[in-house]
Every structure is written in structure tokens, then in C-alpha cells.
């Protein structure tokens, strides 16, 4: 008997589309399966103002191939110079659905991010007033904090104080990678959500380092111990409204990954839905995949769920391309390391 699973069309609540030729290459990979995406603003230069967001939105729509539909949900990159009134205008216009906090130096193109969190308190105040969510890259950048501890330390030293100072601020903990992140997200009530990536449900730090260094598994926050991956799977497959899919699909060309100083990011747009179906089936939780990928995200952002659906069918393992081509160079598609039996059939 053929096994099929039909879900409301999923959305991606954390996505890197880049710009120019890379945007053209990766956008169809997401638009094929996903209805909407929260579009990360860490371009060079970053998407800081409402005008920047409007222009980037137009470039994304211009790059969308004929016959495909996709709704990019725009995000402003928070800097110490961000004007709370510009944020309010961007929100009122309906264009911008979140503001992104990068601690300066935490990850790719984060140099314009925040060094002194007190300086952005007026923006947080305005966002709390108008109900605009703050998406947070939750890692401290202090040189004396071990990279594997940076998320847990951020929760204690930065995130919790911000949330206490602004109790009505809606916050998304982006790409959580630890049991600490899961526990904190669960304790936060309905002003706190957390996205989980595809790759952090599948790899732990051994996958990056055992048997030779695997640059295509390197991302930030870096994958942690197995016990943390298990906690993430338990959270994602729980169906709890707090947890939803944000792939953090982040394309870099192979030369930029396979280098003495390789870029952080896993490119998962192409095969995420097949990977997730496999993970949820293994956890005996296929019935919770729709909540994670299609329902909990819109509920947090106060948006309707998609009208259309996506159908996955179980069969012989599906072969995805190992790379996609871009005019900037090839981009390796995430290899989950196990066969994918579920393919998107409608
Ligand atoms: O692995 C990552 N890649 N983590 C991030 O936070 C940024 C992203 C990118 O832009 O490449
Ligand atoms: Zn990201």
C-alpha cells in the first residue's frame, strides 16, 4: 500500500536567499515546496531600513521563475543606529514581519550587528508596543567563551535580561541547538518561539569532525553533542506550538566552504521536506510534521496557514542532486547521511 502524507503547504521561518546570481539559483529550490519564508537580511550591505527591505523584496520577486509562487516575508537587520520610527513604518506597511538581532561578530555578515544591547532598547520598546517579533541569533561572541557554550551563555547573559526588561516583546530564538535552548523556549509562554533547522535534527558535532573535517556540516550555531540533537528532535516532534521550522538554509559556493577558513552554513532548501519526513517517521511522529512545518510558525507570527497543500509519498529512496549550480559556482546540497524514502509528489 502506498503511504502518503498531505500537509498544509509548509513555510520556512528562517531562510537565506542572498542576492544577484545566488538568489536566482536558490530561490526556486525553496519556492518549489514552501509558501513563505522569513528572509534573513545579512546581505552585504545589510537590509537595515524599510527602503532596503522594499528594494530587496522587489529583487526577490523579480528572480522568481514564471509559474512559481512564493511570498518573501521581509526582516530588518538591527543596528545600533536603527530608528524605531522606521521600524514602525515598515511594520505598518505590512512589508516587514520581524527584526533580526545579530550580536556583532557572531556569524556571516554580522559586523554591523549589535555590540551594546542597551543602545537598541528603544527599538525593542517600539517592537513590543506594535507586536513585531524579534528574531535572535543567540550566541555570545566573547573570546573566552567556548564555541560549544555560546548559546547557553547567551540565554543567561543576554536573552533573559532583554526579555525581563521587555516582557511584551515577542522573541524567536533562531536555530536553537541545545537542550538549554529547548528548555528556555518551553519556559517562555506565548511571547517566545524557537525555530529548529533541518540539519540540527540530523547531525551532531561528531558528523563535522570524526574521520576528517566535513566543511559542509559546519554552520553556526555549530552542531553540539548528541544529547542536544536528541532534545531538538523531541521538541520538533512534540507538536508544541513553541517550536517551528526555520531551515537556516544558507548557500555558500563549494570553494568558499572547502577552504582553510570555510564559511558557515548548510544548504538544505532542496531536500528539507524529505529529510524532515524521515526524521519524524523515525521518531514515530509523522502526525506532528504538519504542526512543525506548516502550522506553528504562522500561529506565532499571527498569519493564516497556507491554503494549498504538499503531499509526500513513501517509496524507493529519492535521489536529490548533490549540487545546484549558480553563476557564482556550485553549492553542495546537504547530505543527511541516510536514504530519503519520502518524496514530494504534489
Ligand atoms: O551557518 C550559518 N550561516 N549561520 C548563520 O547564522 C548565518 C548563515 C549564513 O548567512 O551563511
Ligand atoms: Zn541564518
Amino acid at each position: 500500500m502506498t503511504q502518503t502524507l498531505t500537509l498544509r503547504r509548509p513555510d520556512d521561518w528562517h531562510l537565506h536567499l542572498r542576492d544577484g546570481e545566488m538568489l536566482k539559483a536558490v530561490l526556486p529550490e525553496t519556492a518549489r515546496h514552501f509558501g513563505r519564508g522569513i528572509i534573513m537580511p545579512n546581505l552585504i550591505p545589510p537590509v537595515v531600513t524599510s527602503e532596503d527591505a522594499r528594494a530587496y523584496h522587489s529583487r526577490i520577486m523579480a528572480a522568481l521563475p514564471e509559474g512559481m509562487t512564493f511570498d518573501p516575508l521581509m526582516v530588518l537587520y538591527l543596528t545600533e543606529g536603527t530608528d524605531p520610527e522606521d521600524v514602525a513604518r515598515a511594520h505598518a506597511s505590512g512589508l516587514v514581519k520581524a527584526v533580526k538581532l545579530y550580536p556583532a561578530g557572531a556569524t556571516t555578515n554580522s559586523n554591523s550587528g549589535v555590540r551594546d544591547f542597551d543602545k537598541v532598547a528603544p527599538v525593542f520598546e517600539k517592537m513590543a508596543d506594535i507586536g513585531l517579533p524579534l528574531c535572535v541569533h543567540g550566541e555570545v561572541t566573547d573570546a573566552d567563551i567556548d564555541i560549544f557554550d555560546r548559546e547557553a551563555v547567551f540565554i543567561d547573559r543576554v536573552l533573559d535580561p532583554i526579555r525581563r526588561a521587555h516582557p511584551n516583546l515577542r522573541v524567536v530564538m533562531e536555530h536553537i541547538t541545545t537542550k538549554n535552548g529547548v528548555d528556555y523556549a518551553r519556559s517562555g509562554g506565548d511571547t517566545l518561539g524557537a525555530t529548529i533547522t533541518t540539519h540540527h535534527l540530523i547531525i551532531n558535532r561528531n558528523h563535522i569532525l570524526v574521520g576528517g573535517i566535513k566543511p559542509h556540516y559546519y554552520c553556526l550555531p555549530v552542531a553540539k553533542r548528541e544529547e542536544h540533537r536528541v532534545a531538538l528532535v523531541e521538541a520538533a516532534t512534540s507538536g508544541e506550538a513553541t517550536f517551528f521550522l526555520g531551515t537556516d538554509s544558507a548557500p555558500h559556493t563549494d570553494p568558499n566552504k572547502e577552504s582553510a577558513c570555510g564559511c558557515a552554513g548548510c544548504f538544505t532548501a532542496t531536500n528539507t521536506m524529505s529529510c524532515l519526513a524521515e526524521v519524524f517517521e523515525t521518531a514515530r511522529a509523522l502526525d506532528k510534521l504538519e504542526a512543525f512545518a506548516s502550522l506553528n510558525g504562522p500561529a506565532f507570527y499571527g498569519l493564516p496557514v497556507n491554503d494549498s497543500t504538499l503531499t509526500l509519498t513513501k517509496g524507493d529512496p529519492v535521489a536529490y542532486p548533490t549540487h545546484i549550480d549558480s553563476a557564482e559556482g556550485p553549492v553542495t546540497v546537504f547530505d543527511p547521511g541516510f536514504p530519503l524514502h519520502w518524496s514530494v509528489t504534489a
Side-chain angles (χ1 to χ4, degrees), residues 16 18 42 102 107-108 137 175 219-221 248 250 252 264-266:
H16 297 270
R18 316 296 192 209
N42 63 333
Y102 286 106
T107 187
T108 311
H137 183 110
H175 43 50
C219 65
L220 289 170
D248 200 10
H252 294 278
C266 297

Side-chain angles (χ1 to χ4, degrees), residues 92-316:
S93 75
L95 177 77
V96 162
K97 297 290 187 248
V99 173
K100 175 76 187 232
L101 168 63
Y102 286 106
T107 187
T108 311
N109 305 338
S110 62
N111 287 338
S112 314
V114 177
R115 288 181 169 76
D116 178 352
F117 297 97
D118 291 338
K119 290 203 175 132
V120 291
V123 184
F124 293 159
E125 216 37 57
K126 177 60 80 177
M127 291 171 65
D129 279 355
I130 62 182
L132 184 63
L134 179 72
C135 295
V136 177
H137 183 110
E139 289 189 287
V140 293
T141 54
D142 310 52
D144 62 329
I145 305 294
D146 190 276
I147 191 166
F148 293 100
D149 298 332
R150 288 180 172 194
E151 179 171 298
V153 173
F154 183 89
I155 292 168
D156 292 344
R157 288 194 193 165
V158 183
L159 182 57
D160 196 56
I162 289 175
R163 293 190 58 250
R164 284 176 195 276
H166 306 277
N168 296 325
L169 182 63
R170 299 178 64 69
V171 173
V172 182
M173 299 171 71
E174 301 275 59
H175 43 50
I176 55 170
T177 59
T178 58
K179 184 169 185 312
N180 314 60
V182 169
D183 292 345
Y184 186 77
R186 266 200 180 117
S187 73
D190 60 8
T191 58
L192 190 59
T195 58
I196 303 176
T197 76
T198 311
H199 47 286
H200 288 118
L201 293 173
I202 294 173
I203 61 167
N204 61 37
R205 63 195 202 177
N206 279 16
H207 292 84
I208 311 170
L209 295 169
V210 172
I213 193 157
K214 313 290 189 320
H216 295 289
Y217 289 149
Y218 173 63
C219 65
L220 289 170
V222 71
K224 309 295 193 298
R225 289 176 180 274
E226 175 65 3
E227 69 195 68
H228 294 292
R229 189 195 67 83
V230 168
L232 296 172
V233 171
E234 189 273 325
T237 59
S238 70
E240 287 165 54
T242 302
F243 303 105
F244 41 96
L245 174 64
T247 66
D248 200 10
S249 183
H252 294 278
T253 63
D254 286 352
N256 285 337
K257 293 283 295 172
E258 299 164 7
S259 134
C261 184
C263 293
C266 297
F267 181 69
T268 54
T270 306
N271 57 2
T272 273
M273 290 312 298
S274 294
C275 288
L276 290 177
E278 206 74 35
V279 168
F280 277 62
E281 184 177 41
T282 303
R284 299 177 195 277
L286 270 178
D287 60 323
K288 300 295 194 311
L289 181 56
E290 185 178 44
F292 181 65
S294 316
L295 307 181
N296 296 347
F300 184 88
Y301 278 89
L303 295 169
V305 299
N306 291 314
D307 284 333
S308 54
T309 60
L310 187 86
T311 298
L312 291 143
T313 303
K314 189 175 181 185
D316 291 336

Side-chain angles (χ1 to χ4, degrees), residues 47-51 74-79 81-100 120 122-128 130-134 169:
V47 179
V48 174
T49 66
S50 51
E51 260 327 293
M74 306 311 289
V75 177
L76 299 181
Y77 184 120
L78 182 63
T79 72
T82 293
D83 172 7
E85 292 311 319
D86 184 56
V87 170
R89 274 194 301 276
H91 170 66
S93 75
L95 177 77
V96 162
K97 297 290 187 248
V99 173
K100 175 76 187 232
V120 291
V123 184
F124 293 159
E125 216 37 57
K126 177 60 80 177
M127 291 171 65
I130 62 182
L132 184 63
L134 179 72
L169 182 63

